[in-house]
Amino acid sequence: MKRRTLLLAGTAGAGALVIGWLAVPQRSRLGSGGLLPPGEGQVALNGWIKVVEDGGVVLAMPRSEMGQGVHTALAMLAAEELDVPLRSVRLEQAGADAIYGNVAMLAGGLPFHPLDSEKEDGFGRAKAARWVVGKLARELGINATGGSTSVADAWEVVRTAAATARASLLGAAALQWKLPVDELQVVDGVVTHPSGKSARYGELAKFAAATPPGEVKLKERAAWKLIGKPAPRVDVPAKVNGSAVFGLDVRVPGMKFAAVRLCPILGGSPGRVDGTAALRMPGAERLVMLPAYAGTAAGFAVIARTSWHAMRAAAAVNVDWQPHARGTVDSAEVDRALETAVREQDGFAFHGRGDVPGAERGAARVFEAWYHAPYLAHMALEPMNCTARVAAGRVEVWVPTQVPGMARDVAARVAGVPADQVTLHVTLLGGGFGRRLEVDYVAQAVRVAMDAGGAPVQLVWPREEDTTHDFYRPMQVARLRAALDENGVPSSLHVRSAGDAITPRWFARAMPMLAGPVDLPDKTTSEGLFDQPYGFANQRMEHVSTRSHVPVGFWRSVGHSHNAFFMESFVDELAAEAKVDPVEFRRRLLKDAPRYLAVLDAAARQAGWGTPLAPGRARGVALHESFGSVVAEVAEVSLEQGRPRVHRVVCAIDCGTVVNPGIVAQQMESAVVFALSAALSGRIDIKGGVVQQRNYPDAPLVTLARAPKVETVVVPSGRSPSGVGEPGVPPLAPAVANAVFALTGRRLRRLPLSLDGEA
């Protein structure tokens, strides 16, 4: 990593270095053409764009495609500014340079209330902090696909890179033809002049590489031809014809296969290991012991001729598994400990205003409710896998990952080679949801490949290992309390939650060089609680950070996924206490939050809120902001054999400027089904340190036959793009729970939702 510092005159020491570093302008993310390896007939115009002789364009792609449509969205940004058809844009995996880092993801981790940030004039506290973190993020260059930030991060840099390339190409034509550049036009990658002169981009590329771009202007919104309109996804044809390459599809000549088996007791390790009988089985070749890499459990892998042979042999190894010296974990005990922490400990206050204790003392009554959320596994359809080859001091890795830079670094550390001796190929991801922000399986694959005599090895986790050795969404407990007057109108809101912090654990696993000895407050623990938009006059939102010794990680929509359930269920309870319609109650609390109110109204209108429903059905509503986007969902629910059945979900979203409305609708549909599966049956139970759920039958997903009809309403916005992949998840569970209350009068305060009291 390159660092730039500037010492100010008359100063010295660390403070001066920091001040000097802050004084240096932010690093440009455009990059030089030297960052892109030239292919035949290709000319690089900057670190993002190459032009091909046939007129095509190559875009450096730093983000991972896991079904969210990022390859299409970023290609659309480039095509728009270059004035080429979308089909002309080809994608090439970006390299390891810092310009490809995800600046928006790090800046999004700052714990500022969105309404406070929007009210700032000029360079306020939140904007200043985002500038500093953005500058640091540019220097670190952490390449990650997560936090629903891919389009938000690319919005300026990809368009600027494409517009700069276009300016150089037009400048080259103007110089060659000796004509004013403002008289030139571009249509579908062909530069023309009214005199009849014309040239394709490919004909101008070499001259353009040596031509300064001059003034670069991004297109005005009114001139957009692609952005904001539906466009076919660029990844669909390959997925339909079978040529798409996911991690499990990788095939390299001479490849062997390996299957892992890890200690089933969380925190435990293998004692005596006897692989004699296993290695006598057909196809089995070698047993490799695996330490606890990057936060995962210790265990072993068996190398074999095929993955089937490897899995059978691994299952046949005789192992004496040993628990951790500190003992074992039980999720029921963790749940009780979290409730005790909420009762007895003060937490870190992420947000506060007014006088909550005073409001409670003067209230007619104080209304309180407790909510619980379980551990959750990611359950991605494609299990963890990685293919690696270690030979002649070099490492080559093929992997479905959300963090290619970190995967490259851990591969280098395990193999004991410099990072520049690692070649990493990012495949398509068969689901990520945050699980592939981890690099444990990459470390294991490289270690196994080191014992394979130079042959490439594809390491695969059987589904049971994948489910029982995840980095789970943390269990969380929250107490919400409101001071009410004699009419049930709230004057305060006090929230205290407890649960493990994800971010410090993740840094310690994935980037140990950045993990400090002290845990700083983690925004993910309280997001969706401290940053809610409702106008309670007095507020205090605090969190007690705990350490359960259960491996926890980022799960689609992270803390919002359970905190929205807590908050929006409680707001519905307050509406019932005030005897006010749930939508109208929220409207009254949103008078200073017009953006949120517009989304709520859009969802209510589309859903027909207040209109009659068929007997046995009811509607529930929830509103939530996450990753910069506001989503309201209305769920239409009935009961079938005592269980909620969701028939229809209306999603209204304000996600800023929309690049491709078709992808927005797809992601809302995906989020609803994903969240509904978790809301109805998602849970991880741990007994004696052992995860009880092992495969999909233990945590069923919503099937096509039971999937609701999903309608998406996009609320127009002139803001920059914000998240889409995750914001549809948080409102679903509370909307369903609130509909169940409307049907039955029963409040469901524990996930997964159940009317039998067993959940």
Side-chain angles (χ1 to χ4, degrees):
M1 180 183 74
K2 296 179 180 178
R3 292 181 174 86
R4 294 177 297 171
T5 57
L6 176 64
L7 282 174
L8 301 181
T11 63
L17 285 172
V18 172
I19 294 171
W21 175 75
L22 290 172
V24 175
Q26 296 211 44
R27 181 190 295 273
S28 169
R29 298 181 66 193
L30 201 59
S32 68
L35 295 174
L36 298 181
E40 185 177 352
Q42 297 178 348
V43 177
L45 299 183
N46 53 55
W48 295 83
I49 301 293
K50 289 193 291 189
V51 174
V52 190
E53 281 181 344
D54 62 8
V57 172
V58 177
L59 170 66
M61 177 53 65
R63 305 292 172 253
S64 301
E65 179 60 72
M66 46 190 161
Q68 81 279 36
V70 64
H71 283 187
T72 302
L74 268 59
M76 289 177 69
L77 300 183
E80 181 69 78
E81 292 295 338
L82 278 161
D83 279 312
V84 299
L86 181 58
R87 64 179 180 275
S88 297
V89 180
R90 308 165 197 172
L91 305 179
E92 182 178 285
Q93 183 181 326
D97 194 85
I99 69 166
Y100 306 117
N102 191 334
V103 174
M105 191 173 78
L106 266 68
L110 291 168
F112 290 109
H113 196 292
L115 293 182
D116 292 344
S117 300
E118 289 177 11
K119 292 174 184 175
E120 284 187 351
D121 293 324
F123 209 57
R125 185 170 64 100
K127 292 179 182 177
R130 289 193 178 96
W131 186 90
V132 172
V133 171
K135 181 172 171 57
L136 176 62
R138 288 170 184 248
E139 297 292 332
L140 291 174
I142 298 174
N143 185 352
T145 305
S148 295
T149 54
S150 292
V151 173
D153 184 72
W155 178 242
E156 292 290 342
V157 65
V158 170
R159 288 191 303 143
T160 300
T164 302
R166 181 183 186 272
S168 291
L169 289 161
L170 286 172
L175 288 172
Q176 286 184 330
W177 299 338
K178 297 180 174 55
L179 293 169
V181 71
D182 57 5
E183 293 182 5
L184 305 182
Q185 293 183 332
V186 183
V187 178
D188 290 344
V190 178
V191 182
T192 63
H193 184 265
S195 66
K197 292 183 179 293
S198 69
R200 293 181 304 165
Y201 276 166
E203 300 172 68
L204 299 167
K206 289 183 180 179
F207 195 20
T211 302
E215 184 180 8
V216 176
K217 291 183 179 180
L218 298 178
K219 280 188 179 181
E220 297 290 337
R221 186 179 294 261
W224 290 343
K225 298 176 182 177
L226 273 175
I227 294 175
K229 297 178 176 60
R233 289 178 53 147
V234 300
D235 55 332
V236 166
K239 290 177 177 176
V240 171
N241 65 29
S243 63
V245 178
F246 293 82
L248 287 177
D249 295 323
V250 171
R251 291 295 179 268
V252 184
M255 190 166 78
K256 299 179 184 295
F257 296 83
V260 300
R261 189 174 164 203
L262 306 175
C263 182
I265 308 168
L266 295 180
S269 59
R272 183 185 60 85
V273 178
D274 182 2
T276 306
L279 293 177
R280 289 174 182 163
M281 297 178 70
E285 297 182 5
R286 190 175 183 87
L287 187 148
V288 181
M289 299 304 298
L290 298 172
Y293 284 121
T296 197
F300 60 85
V302 173
I303 303 174
R305 189 169 66 246
T306 71
S307 58
W308 173 246
H309 289 110
M311 289 181 189
R312 292 193 65 205
V317 175
N318 188 9
V319 192
D320 181 17
W321 299 110
Q322 301 295 314
H324 195 279
R326 65 171 173 262
T328 59
V329 178
D330 282 79
S331 53
E333 293 179 3
V334 173
D335 185 64
R336 289 191 290 270
L338 294 180
E339 187 165 328
T340 299
V342 171
R343 291 185 188 278
E344 299 180 356
Q345 298 183 43
D346 291 330
F348 176 82
F350 282 85
H351 178 69
R353 71 166 181 249
D355 180 9
V356 170
E360 292 183 352
R361 286 193 299 270
R365 60 193 176 99
V366 175
F367 180 74
E368 179 179 289
W370 287 77
Y371 288 87
H372 298 251
Y375 291 111
L376 277 184
H378 294 84
M379 305 294 282
L381 187 61
E382 181 187 22
M384 298 302 103
N385 69 90
C386 178
T387 301
R389 174 167 51 206
V390 180
R394 293 193 59 85
V395 181
E396 192 164 11
V397 176
W398 297 259
V399 60
T401 179
Q402 295 176 244
V403 282
M406 296 176 189
R408 180 172 175 254
D409 290 345
V410 78
R413 288 199 301 271
V414 172
V417 302
D420 61 9
Q421 296 302 298
V422 178
T423 301
L424 188 127
H425 310 277
V426 180
T427 68
L428 294 172
L429 284 60
F433 314 127
R435 176 60 178 92
R436 288 184 162 95
L437 289 168
E438 308 290 343
V439 294
D440 52 329
Y441 57 103
V442 180
Q444 291 175 342
V446 173
R447 175 64 190 88
V448 171
M450 292 170 67
D451 275 16
V457 181
Q458 184 176 92
L459 179 130
V460 178
W461 287 31
R463 174 64 62 192
E464 290 74 15
E465 298 293 335
D466 198 9
T467 305
T468 57
H469 294 91
D470 203 343
F471 294 94
Y472 304 101
R473 185 189 76 176
M475 176 177 280
Q476 187 135 321
V477 172
R479 182 189 66 195
L480 293 88
R481 195 165 62 199
L484 307 180
D485 67 13
E486 60 277 4
N487 296 316
V489 177
S491 60
S492 74
L493 176 64
H494 183 198
V495 180
R496 182 182 293 165
S497 57
D500 286 11
I502 298 170
T503 305
R505 306 288 81 75
W506 179 76
F507 268 117
R509 294 191 298 264
M511 302 182 68
M513 71 292 296
L514 293 181
V518 179
D519 288 355
L520 296 176
D522 181 5
K523 174 195 172 186
T524 68
T525 59
S526 191
E527 60 188 4
L529 295 173
F530 83 87
D531 47 3
Q532 51 78 33
Y534 298 113
F536 296 96
N538 306 283
Q539 302 182 22
R540 182 175 175 83
M541 281 69 172
E542 54 185 293
H543 180 82
V544 180
S545 188
T546 58
R547 291 289 294 273
S548 69
H549 301 295
V550 174
V552 295
F554 299 105
W555 190 90
R556 189 176 184 181
S557 73
V558 203
H560 294 284
S561 66
H562 43 74
N563 289 337
F565 171 66
F566 303 160
M567 178 60 67
E568 282 300 293
S569 296
F570 188 68
V571 169
D572 226 65
E573 294 206 51
L574 294 180
E577 292 295 313
K579 297 181 175 57
V580 177
D581 172 83
V583 170
E584 177 58 28
F585 184 81
R586 287 171 171 81
R587 284 181 177 137
R588 295 177 185 180
L589 290 172
L590 293 171
K591 62 181 185 299
D592 295 325
R595 183 180 179 221
Y596 297 80
L597 182 58
V599 175
L600 175 67
D601 286 345
R605 282 194 303 270
Q606 180 68 19
W609 187 269
T611 62
L613 281 169
R617 294 194 183 188
R619 298 185 184 98
V621 64
L623 173 73
H624 193 76
E625 185 272 341
S626 62
F627 308 98
S629 296
V630 181
V631 177
E633 293 181 2
V634 176
E636 186 177 315
V637 179
S638 69
L639 295 180
E640 291 186 1
Q641 299 178 336
R643 295 179 58 82
R645 172 71 187 273
V646 182
H647 302 274
R648 179 191 182 206
V649 176
V650 171
C651 302
I653 180 171
D654 177 347
C655 55
T657 297
V658 172
V659 176
N660 187 326
I663 290 178
V664 173
Q666 290 166 7
Q667 284 302 291
M668 292 301 101
E669 293 158 7
S670 160
V672 164
V673 174
F674 185 89
L676 186 57
S677 297
L680 298 183
S681 59
R683 63 186 302 159
I684 287 294
D685 299 308
I686 305 167
K687 296 181 181 179
V690 178
V691 173
Q692 301 300 294
Q693 290 79 7
R694 295 177 56 79
N695 209 321
Y696 286 120
D698 302 322
L701 304 182
V702 171
T703 62
L704 184 61
R706 299 189 68 81
K709 177 183 179 183
V710 181
E711 301 168 36
T712 300
V713 180
V714 177
V715 178
S717 173
R719 300 162 63 104
S720 296
S722 47
V724 172
E726 297 171 274
V729 172
L732 190 280
V736 174
N738 293 338
V740 170
F741 172 76
L743 267 178
T744 67
R746 292 180 58 184
R747 284 291 175 191
L748 304 182
R749 299 189 178 110
R750 185 182 290 267
L751 292 172
L753 302 174
S754 173
L755 285 162
D756 58 17
E758 296 178 0

